[in-house]
Amino acid sequence: QVQLVESGGGLVQAGGSLRLSCAASGSFSSINTMGWYRQVPGKQRELVAGITEGGSTNYADSVKDRVTISRDYANNTVYLQMDSLKPEDTAVYFCYSQAVILSRTYRYWGQGTQVTVSS
């Protein structure tokens, strides 16, 4: 099992910044990809950004010039630095990880953290 604990959400004005953190703990051999999705009511969860074990990153087109994902491999923590925030970035942000346990890969989710951007 893997537990993901998120922090860093909140209320910010348009143009502001937030940094989300997500720490993974539990019993696993390794963690492959970590990243973030977001979801607004009535819509599907969408990928914001991901980072692989090797450090390769991918971003949604809607955020790629404003968001940076990074990872602390020693502490199994992933960060999402969000700058120049817009009201349309308002959503619940979910951290995810793909962990290897007994040679099988499983995806885990955090509980979600609310990000609200006011205009």
Side-chain angles (χ1 to χ4, degrees), residues 9-73:
L11 173 64
V12 64
Q13 288 189 330
S17 298
L18 281 175
R19 189 188 193 212
L20 306 183
S21 301
C22 173
S25 63
S27 300
F28 49 86
S29 300
S30 62
I31 293 181
N32 295 336
T33 301
M34 297 187 77
W36 297 87
Y37 277 69
R38 67 185 181 186
Q39 189 171 25
V40 297
K43 292 191 175 182
Q44 284 192 329
R45 195 172 291 190
E46 64 173 2
L47 176 69
V48 178
I51 183 167
T52 69
E53 190 173 17
S56 297
T57 58
N58 64 297
Y59 296 94
D61 287 343
S62 59
V63 303
K64 63 182 178 181
D65 294 329
R66 303 182 290 114
V67 164
T68 302
I69 190 169
S70 60
R71 186 166 164 179
D72 178 348
Y73 293 89

Side-chain angles (χ1 to χ4, degrees), residues 6-10 20-21 36 91-95 110-116:
E6 301 150 337
S7 60
L20 306 183
S21 301
W36 297 87
V92 178
Y93 285 68
F94 295 91
C95 170
Q111 78 283 1
T113 185
Q114 177 70 47
V115 171
T116 303

Side-chain angles (χ1 to χ4, degrees), residues 97-108:
S97 72
Q98 292 188 175
V100 177
I101 302 173
L102 297 177
S103 301
R104 299 185 67 176
T105 300
Y106 300 87
R107 176 169 283 204
Y108 293 90

